[in-house]
């Protein structure tokens, strides 16, 4: 059977993994058993993907990223260099009964270099997490968060640029138009109200 994905000779891919067509796994990466990686992903140097992790299609994982058990990454996600996930809220080296706390990164989201995602959160669709951020609570769809702890500082378009021009409003949310690509994005009212509370913190 012809292998339809690429694994560098210096990568470790354990038996019992699922890897989609067109995916590339680079040197010193380690993919554990039971991990599922979708199509057309790029898994950079020194990446660690733990037991049972699920990675969607078209995901780009930059060098040095650790994706621990309990994390699910949907399609089209970008994970920046050396960012990391956690999976234990009460870590002790001697605990034998610790509990995996799940984390979800939804479609199209981007997480910047050296960010840390504390387990138990959801990163919403097309959200943007700034470099070095420490995320301790959910990030809304299209939300822009940064800082330690990360605060909601604005919203971004599908293309990743900040949304600044409000062009409408309805019962469900506030409509922005991207000055870069021209697309319109609707931000839920509860998320916009959270932004107003957090933007100056």
């Amino acid at each position: 059977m012809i292998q339809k994905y690429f694994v560098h000779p210096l990568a470790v891919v354990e038996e019992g993994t699922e890897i989609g067509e067109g995916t590339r796994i680079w040197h010193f990466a380690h993919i554990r058993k039971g991990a599922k990686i979708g199509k057309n992903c790029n898994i950079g140097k020194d990446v660690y993907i733990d037991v049972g992790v699920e990675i969607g299609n078209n995901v780009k994982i930059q060098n040095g990223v650790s994706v621990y058990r309990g994390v699910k990454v949907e399609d089209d996600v970008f994970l920046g260099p050396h960012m990391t996930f956690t999976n234990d809220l009460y870590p002790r080296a001697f605990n034998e009964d610790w509990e995996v706390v799940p984390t979800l990164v939804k479609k199209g989201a981007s997480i910047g270099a050296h960010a840390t995602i504390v387990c138990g959160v959801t990163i919403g669709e097309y959200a943007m997490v700034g470099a070095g951020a420490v995320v301790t609570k959910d990030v809304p769809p299209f939300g822009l968060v940064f800082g330690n702890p990360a605060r909601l500082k604005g919203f971004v378009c599908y293309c990743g640029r900040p949304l600044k021009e409000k062009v409408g409003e309805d019962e469900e949310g506030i409509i922005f138009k991207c000055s870069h690509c021209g697309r319109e994005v609707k931000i839920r009212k509860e998320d916009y109200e959270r932004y107003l509370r957090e933007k100056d913190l």
Side-chain angles (χ1 to χ4, degrees):
M1 181 177 176
I2 297 174
Q3 184 170 289
K4 296 184 178 180
Y5 54 86
F6 169 79
V7 177
H8 192 280
L10 296 179
V12 175
V13 178
E14 297 181 6
E15 291 186 12
T17 61
E18 294 182 24
I19 301 171
E21 183 176 350
T23 286
R24 295 170 296 171
I25 299 172
W26 295 98
H27 45 306
F28 308 125
H30 185 178
I31 315 300
R32 298 290 309 278
K33 64 183 180 181
K36 297 179 181 179
I37 301 172
K39 297 178 181 179
N40 300 315
C41 295
N42 192 69
I43 312 298
K45 174 179 175 286
D46 291 317
V47 168
Y48 176 78
I49 297 178
D50 206 354
V51 173
V53 164
E54 294 183 39
I55 306 290
N57 300 321
N58 306 309
V59 173
K60 182 176 282 188
I61 305 180
Q62 300 289 77
N63 296 350
V65 172
S66 296
V67 187
Y68 293 111
R69 184 157 49 114
V71 175
K72 181 177 180 179
V73 177
E74 294 186 351
D75 297 347
D76 303 320
V77 166
F78 175 88
L79 303 179
H82 300 280
M83 64 77 50
T84 194
F85 294 96
T86 63
N87 65 359
D88 186 357
L89 285 175
Y90 309 104
R92 293 291 195 202
F94 48 82
N95 275 358
E96 295 183 1
D97 61 346
W98 66 281
E99 177 185 354
V100 172
V101 179
T103 297
L104 174 62
V105 184
K106 301 196 82 171
K107 179 180 174 67
S110 295
I111 301 176
H114 290 279
T116 298
I117 310 301
V118 176
C119 54
V121 304
T122 295
I123 310 296
E125 293 90 342
Y126 302 99
M128 181 81 69
V129 175
V134 178
V135 177
T136 61
K137 56 186 177 181
D138 291 351
V139 180
F142 303 99
L144 170 64
V145 301
F146 52 86
N148 181 5
R151 305 290 190 192
L152 183 59
K153 299 294 187 177
F155 299 93
V156 296
C157 180
Y158 293 94
C159 71
R161 269 63 168 198
L163 293 169
K164 297 179 180 178
E165 182 185 357
K166 286 192 277 186
V167 295
E169 185 173 345
D170 61 23
E171 293 180 359
E172 297 177 355
I174 297 167
I175 302 165
F176 287 82
K177 184 175 182 179
C178 178
S179 60
H180 179 77
C181 72
R183 293 186 74 171
E184 291 188 353
V185 177
K186 183 182 289 187
I187 302 301
R188 299 180 306 197
K189 284 191 173 178
E190 61 266 33
D191 297 334
Y192 190 75
E193 290 167 0
R194 175 181 163 189
Y195 156 70
L196 294 176
R197 294 192 303 269
E198 295 187 12
K199 68 185 179 69
D200 296 323
L201 293 177

